[in-house]
Amino acid sequence: MAKIFSGVQPTSIPHLGNYLGAMRNFVTLQDGNECIYCIVDEHAITLPQDPGEIQRNIRNLAALYLAMGIDPKRSILFIQSEVPCHAQLGWIMQCVSYMGELERMTQFKDKSKGKTSVPAGLLTYPPLMAADILLYNTELVPVGADQKQHLELTRNLAERFNNKYGDVFVIPEPYIPPVGARIMSLAEPEKKMSKSDTNRKATIFTLDSEKDIIKKIKGATTDDEAEIRYDREKKPGISNLLDIFSICSGRSVEELVNAYQGKGYGEFKTDVAEAVSGTLRPIRERYNNLIESSELDEVLDEGAERAYDIAQQTLKKAEKALGIGRIS
Ligand code: AQP
């Protein structure tokens, strides 16, 4: 039995990469583990958001968590900003962090590139993420490959704190799946699928219609050869579709490569689209039943209460170790 924590930003509807790389594993890890999942809305505001849109995204994400299979009887689901301990421990973790190590984070470099004024929150996002994880004595963090560096920083900050102030934090391990950890853009398969991609053909969102899914997969960038084989470097488009197909069909990449020998990209793409539609269809149907229900608010209210009970104990321990506040 492991303690699991992870989160997703309500910056838009989660995409296929978020689902295959992370959220799908959130569901399977519920078996035999203690899971806590979060809607990390304080992370979302590291870049400006429209208030009305982020409200809608928060509710959509809550409904999608449940639609994907998060069971509130087994797991805690809550909104980050509704448990103030995150911001409080986030500040403490900022004080433990060094500017240099934060500036070296790839995501910070990518997201600040070309900007004349960079929000400070973009730089201090990783210490807040460290706080999210450390508050719950987390042992395992299911994430996509792009979060590996932030996870390493979390471990370093926790160890640095423990070495200086005593054993307060559990040191977490990442859980990165062998297939699907880095789903690539359909338009430019050398870069990862991303919510913020301005090319709408690049990203499949988990609530896309079947028509859109088929259109996006049929239009996915591939190559001039007519051979279906797995080669991430030379055939990034086909390899990405093979990864997606493999997870959505439950068949191994090797099995698929053998099955599609001598077949054209057209037939292959039609079958990939069908597998993706088949995976997302039940999620969309459950989402439609949940989005207007009062069940969502009940789950989030209870989730915030249960999360707070755990989080405030760790926060108190950290504050006591540092000697801040009045220690009773
Ligand atoms: N392309 C991806 N393939 C596999 N996993 C991915 N994740 C993100 N993109 C991929 C994983 O999804 C979880 C939630 O991500 P997030 O909401 O924190 O967003 P993000 O990592 O910043 O990536 P996005 O969704 O593409 O947003 P933008 O465009 O804002 O950068 C994480 O576990 C992440 O690893």
Side-chain angles (χ1 to χ4, degrees), residues 89 92-93 96 130-131 134-135 137 157-159 161-162 166-172 314-315 317-318:
L89 187 64
I92 291 174
M93 298 321 289
V96 177
L134 299 174
L135 278 171
N137 306 313
L157 297 181
E159 276 165 5
F161 185 102
N162 284 355
D167 261 347
V168 170
F169 299 124
V170 172
I171 311 297
T314 313
L315 177 66
K317 266 166 78 177

Side-chain angles (χ1 to χ4, degrees), residues 108-312:
F108 170 71
K109 286 197 261 182
D110 288 348
K111 293 198 170 180
S112 59
K113 206 188 300 174
K115 285 196 169 64
T116 41
S117 47
V118 178
L122 210 53
L123 182 72
T124 56
Y125 164 116
L128 179 59
M129 176 169 158
D132 300 337
I133 295 166
L134 299 174
L135 278 171
Y136 300 98
N137 306 313
T138 306
E139 290 158 313
L140 214 54
V141 188
V143 281
D146 62 326
Q147 290 296 336
K148 192 164 176 257
Q149 197 186 30
H150 289 162
L151 239 299
E152 272 161 20
L153 182 76
T154 297
R155 290 169 55 84
N156 290 343
L157 297 181
E159 276 165 5
R160 192 177 298 157
F161 185 102
N162 284 355
N163 288 338
K164 201 155 181 197
Y165 301 106
D167 261 347
V168 170
F169 299 124
V170 172
I171 311 297
E173 296 280 344
Y175 175 93
I176 297 174
V179 184
R182 196 167 166 81
I183 298 296
M184 310 308 276
S185 149
L186 295 181
E188 294 168 78
E190 301 77 20
K191 61 180 211 188
K192 78 160 193 144
M193 187 176 281
S194 179
K195 294 192 201 98
S196 53
D197 201 318
T198 47
N199 181 350
R200 304 314 274 175
K201 292 181 190 160
T203 307
I204 292 182
F205 293 94
T206 47
L207 292 179
D208 275 354
S209 68
E210 277 185 38
K211 205 171 133 208
D212 282 345
I213 294 171
I214 295 168
K215 211 162 123 191
K216 287 179 186 179
I217 291 180
K218 290 235 164 183
T221 302
T222 50
D223 52 62
D224 296 337
E225 295 179 5
E227 195 194 355
I228 292 160
R229 70 187 157 84
Y230 196 88
D231 185 334
R232 274 254 176 197
E233 232 166 71
K234 296 201 181 90
K235 294 172 78 69
I238 289 291
S239 304
N240 188 38
L241 291 178
L242 277 166
D243 278 341
I244 293 172
F245 197 3
S246 171
I247 304 171
C248 292
S249 66
R251 297 163 75 186
S252 70
V253 168
E254 198 185 358
E255 192 187 332
L256 291 170
V257 168
N258 289 333
Y260 283 87
Q261 281 315 298
K263 295 187 180 166
Y265 285 180
E267 184 179 346
F268 174 66
K269 283 179 168 178
T270 303
D271 294 352
V272 177
E274 209 164 278
V276 173
S277 295
T279 301
L280 296 182
R281 193 178 306 126
I283 294 173
R284 207 168 46 237
E285 286 167 4
R286 283 195 292 270
Y287 163 89
N288 287 334
N289 293 329
L290 280 160
I291 190 65
E292 298 301 341
S293 76
S294 59
E295 187 192 335
L296 266 190
D297 290 305
E298 285 159 24
V299 168
L300 292 171
D301 285 348
E302 197 195 321
E305 258 178 56
R306 290 170 66 197
Y308 177 76
D309 282 347
I310 306 168
Q312 54 89 21

